[in-house]
Amino acid sequence: MQIWRSLDDVPADLGRTVVVIGNFDGVHLGHRRVLARARQVADEGGHTLVAVTFDPHPMAVLRPEHAPTSLTTIEVRAELLGETGVDAVLALPFDRDVADWTPEQFVERILVDELHAACVVVGANFRFGHRAAGDVATLLDEGARLGFTAEGIPLDGGPQVWSSTYVRTCLAAGDVAGAAEALGRPFAVRGVVVRGEQRGRELGFPTANVPTDQMATAGLPDGVYAGWLRRLDTGEVYPAAISVGTNPTFDGVRERRVESYVLDRTDLELYGVEVEVSFVERLRGMVAFESVDKLVDQMNDDVRRARELLGA
């Protein structure tokens, strides 16, 4: 799969395409319904399937104080889109100039001139163009004029309409299981393991520490979680008890981290390794304990519960 970071990266000999458009943050089950239909249309017509997303999120340009926290980086988003069958991702740089395009200008410049769209598939609630003036009806009208078809697909999940906002709401409440239901997989973050204060090792629970400034945690509250740690260099996956926060039992100001203790493993050397940490269930909130002994007792209980939840 290809990632095009600008219009200059789009191949000059690109043939007819099926285009999906959206932020696709998280690539949740609603997105996957749209993508599955687009893949079907592309296969029927023998076309390339291109996903158009925006970098940064339009709200980060238009109203930065209201911009949502990202669930995925552009790189991870492209990887997830590729897994659904997308052939190429256009990460369109979003700025004030693009924000001022009318819906008609967006259609002509991106969908027709650059991507040669034969069909455009979007979510039924999709809006685009200056002041979000365009919608599915606009795409249908423009398609009739310029030679492509368009479809709007409902993002239903039974009674729930899946959305990135819904996923963020679940995560903000610590409901990683609810987020996983909407995403179709556990919520995960990535980062490079750094050397910490070694306190976990001294207590018998060595952890792989990843500063949260290396990744989006999407408002995930401090606490202890059961989940999985995956090495991105080898693909090895380990069950883990995961702490998110600053470890308030110990004095001193520390940066917020995701600290993963791989169950029953004290031999792993992960410094400098990029890992993915996925969250299955929240075990408890973050607590400042009266003593190290009480912290260790609680950590033993956290590990026991994580093992039960993960079947490890």
Side-chain angles (χ1 to χ4, degrees):
M1 191 203 62
Q2 303 176 68
I3 304 177
W4 303 328
R5 295 284 186 165
S6 72
L7 295 178
D8 292 337
D9 292 340
V10 178
D13 60 350
L14 182 67
R16 299 300 298 275
T17 66
V18 173
V19 181
V20 289
I21 316 169
N23 288 306
F24 296 114
D25 194 14
V27 192
H28 54 66
L29 294 183
H31 294 142
R32 289 172 185 267
R33 289 194 65 185
V34 176
L35 292 159
R37 174 56 184 161
R39 184 69 263 173
Q40 179 183 13
V41 174
D43 288 343
E44 290 170 353
H47 302 311
T48 299
L49 177 55
V50 178
V52 177
T53 189
F54 305 96
D55 187 25
H57 191 290
M59 286 294 286
V61 173
L62 300 174
R63 300 180 68 187
E65 69 278 11
H66 296 291
T69 304
S70 295
L71 298 170
T72 49
T73 63
I74 284 291
E75 291 77 16
V76 172
R77 198 176 312 172
E79 181 180 314
L80 292 169
L81 287 167
E83 291 173 1
T84 72
V86 168
D87 297 308
V89 174
L90 171 57
L92 185 66
F94 192 89
D95 55 22
R96 287 285 179 179
D97 288 339
V98 174
D100 286 339
W101 289 355
T102 66
E104 293 76 17
Q105 287 175 315
F106 181 88
V107 168
E108 292 184 12
R109 294 179 182 182
I110 303 300
L111 302 183
V112 177
D113 293 346
E114 294 291 340
L115 299 181
H116 316 301
C119 180
V120 180
V121 183
V122 294
N125 62 349
F126 176 69
R127 305 299 295 252
F128 69 107
H130 185 57
R131 297 187 181 276
D135 56 14
V136 175
T138 307
L139 290 173
L140 289 167
D141 290 343
E142 288 298 289
R145 182 172 72 88
L146 296 170
F148 63 84
T149 60
E151 298 183 28
I153 308 299
L155 306 184
D156 296 341
Q160 175 64 52
V161 177
W162 302 131
S163 70
S164 300
T165 298
Y166 174 79
V167 174
R168 291 188 194 94
T169 299
C170 288
L171 293 176
D175 183 10
V176 292
E181 182 183 9
L183 290 168
R185 66 185 186 283
F187 172 69
V189 296
R190 293 183 178 184
V192 176
V193 177
V194 300
R195 189 175 296 274
E197 290 86 359
Q198 307 290 304
R199 288 200 178 102
R201 185 175 298 275
E202 293 169 2
L203 299 175
F205 300 93
T207 58
N209 304 327
V210 181
T212 58
D213 60 3
Q214 294 190 31
M215 59 197 170
T217 49
L220 196 66
D222 288 359
V224 178
Y225 299 80
W228 303 92
L229 181 142
R230 177 167 69 99
R231 293 183 60 138
L232 296 184
D233 56 348
T234 66
E236 293 171 279
V237 179
Y238 308 102
I242 306 156
S243 171
V244 177
T246 59
N247 201 339
T249 297
F250 298 96
D251 295 332
V253 177
R254 302 174 63 229
E255 63 186 341
R256 193 167 187 258
R257 290 180 177 174
V258 173
E259 301 181 280
S260 303
Y261 165 64
V262 174
L263 304 188
D264 306 318
R265 294 292 298 270
T266 60
D267 58 328
L268 294 176
E269 291 294 339
L270 297 174
Y271 298 128
V273 174
E274 187 176 12
V275 298
E276 179 181 79
V277 181
S278 56
F279 300 84
V280 173
E281 191 72 61
R282 190 172 194 240
L283 302 177
R284 62 175 174 86
M286 190 60 70
V287 178
F289 290 90
E290 297 176 0
S291 68
V292 172
D293 287 343
K294 289 187 176 181
L295 170 61
V296 170
D297 287 343
Q298 182 61 62
M299 292 170 73
N300 278 309
D301 188 58
D302 294 337
V303 168
R304 178 189 60 78
R305 293 179 61 202
R307 184 179 289 109
E308 292 175 353
L309 282 165
L310 300 172

